Amino acid sequence: MAVNIPMKTNTNGAAAITPEQIGALIEAPVREASVAFNDLVSTTVTTDSHDYRIPVLLEDPEISWTGEGEEIIPSDMEFDELKVTPRKATGLVGISSELADDSSPDAQSQVGRSLAEKIIAKVDHGFLNKQTSPNAPKGGLGNLVGATELVTDLSNLDFVADAISAIELAGGHLTALIANPADALVLAKLKESAGSNKPLLGDASEGLRARALGTPVLTSRHCPSGVIYGVSRGDIQTILRKGTTLVVDRSVWFTRDLVAIRSIMRVEFGVPVPARVAVITVQAADGS
């Protein structure tokens, strides 16, 4: 993540970081660590436009068995569209002048980590929780209307089988589960049978993540406790608008000898077929 950032701006102005440096310092860490950008969760689309339109197929074309030499009868395809407008996620940090002027890779990495963590938190919270603010994204999983609703007490993995079936019936394919670490811990403690010490999810060291019925289990502290999402990556789009900015300014906290670093990334989410997402509510064994 080490890049050569022109931190030494004059006190009367601000300096913008080059697009290449922004990519190394902000966009790459966010794409790597954010659940919303995870390849198992969504398909990332980059756009130059203010709005992005996702086509939604309302009616499949007719496919017929046709004899050799017979005329093929054309059929109409009916489309709608889902308009997505990327929303602005911002991060602002203050660092000491000594750190800003330090050209070592470690110093640059500290700056990058701090900014990237703020952006990741904002993006993933917007993706996984219901958003009511007019400035927040509205296309995330927490705002879906028409998603597949399931219930589990986390005593077994039947809910995963239910999610696989429901999402496939809707035309999708379950590619990952997203859970709060507290709920994922309950799953991790499940054993294959009474008296066994072998985890039902398998040995996480065998792969990047633990798996439930073959489905990767991803965790995020931004996922609401008591809710597990089942997602179909081909049916969720994370829209990233080009033009992420990173600006350095020494004048904001002049009396404290701090350098202000501000980052702006515009992101929104699109789920054309909500039924291909499972929202699984965790209930106690007594149904409460």
Side-chain angles (χ1 to χ4, degrees):
M1 198 188 303
V3 291
N4 181 23
I5 305 176
M7 293 287 190
K8 298 183 179 180
T9 62
N10 70 50
T11 56
N12 295 320
I17 311 304
T18 67
E20 292 78 12
Q21 292 165 334
I22 292 172
L25 194 65
I26 300 298
E27 287 192 2
V30 170
R31 288 197 187 207
E32 181 180 350
S34 167
V35 167
F37 282 93
N38 192 299
D39 288 341
L40 293 170
V41 173
S42 71
T43 300
T44 299
V45 178
T46 303
T47 180
D48 288 315
S49 303
H50 178 268
D51 297 321
Y52 181 80
R53 288 172 169 79
I54 303 173
V56 182
L57 181 63
L58 299 179
E59 185 175 347
D60 292 329
E62 292 292 336
I63 303 297
S64 304
W65 296 108
T66 305
E68 294 298 334
E70 293 183 1
E71 184 175 352
I72 300 174
I73 302 174
S75 62
D76 295 328
M77 296 177 65
E78 186 178 354
F79 284 93
D80 196 358
E81 65 177 25
L82 175 63
K83 187 174 79 169
V84 177
T85 303
R87 305 288 180 160
K88 183 168 64 176
T90 61
L92 178 65
V93 297
I95 63 172
S96 68
S97 295
E98 290 80 7
L99 181 58
D101 293 337
D102 189 342
S103 61
S104 73
D106 286 344
Q108 308 295 359
S109 295
Q110 288 182 44
V111 176
R113 280 195 299 269
S114 179
L115 281 166
E117 285 172 2
K118 286 181 177 292
I119 296 292
I120 291 166
K122 185 64 67 175
V123 169
D124 282 353
H125 187 275
F127 180 60
L128 298 169
N129 295 267
K130 184 176 180 60
Q131 302 296 311
T132 58
S133 166
N135 297 322
K138 298 300 187 298
L141 305 186
N143 284 77
L144 281 185
V145 176
T148 295
E149 302 284 346
L150 299 172
V151 176
T152 181
D153 61 5
L154 296 183
S155 62
N156 54 54
L157 298 181
D158 286 354
F159 74 94
V160 182
D162 292 338
I164 291 172
S165 176
I167 290 175
E168 288 186 354
L169 285 171
H173 177 68
L174 183 67
T175 54
L177 298 166
I178 308 171
N180 182 278
D183 293 321
L185 178 61
V186 177
L187 292 175
K189 289 182 176 181
L190 292 178
K191 301 300 187 288
E192 284 192 345
S193 60
S196 171
N197 286 322
K198 187 173 182 180
L200 190 57
L201 297 189
D203 185 357
S205 66
E206 296 176 359
L208 293 177
R209 298 284 182 181
R211 293 176 178 268
L213 300 186
T215 303
V217 179
L218 309 180
T219 60
S220 172
R221 62 188 176 91
H222 304 291
C223 186
S225 179
V227 174
I228 298 175
Y229 292 109
V231 297
S232 173
R233 71 169 298 275
D235 298 290
I236 300 174
Q237 294 190 21
T238 296
I239 314 300
L240 174 63
R241 182 177 170 186
K242 287 183 178 178
T244 298
T245 61
L246 186 61
V247 178
V248 179
D249 194 332
R250 291 181 179 269
S251 63
V252 176
W253 291 303
F254 176 78
T255 58
R256 297 179 59 192
D257 194 26
L258 293 178
V259 178
I261 305 177
R262 185 193 68 201
S263 179
I264 296 175
M265 176 183 286
R266 288 175 172 83
V267 180
E268 182 54 287
F269 317 103
V271 185
V273 185
R276 295 177 185 173
V277 172
V279 180
I280 304 154
T281 302
V282 178
Q283 293 184 349
D286 60 3
S288 60

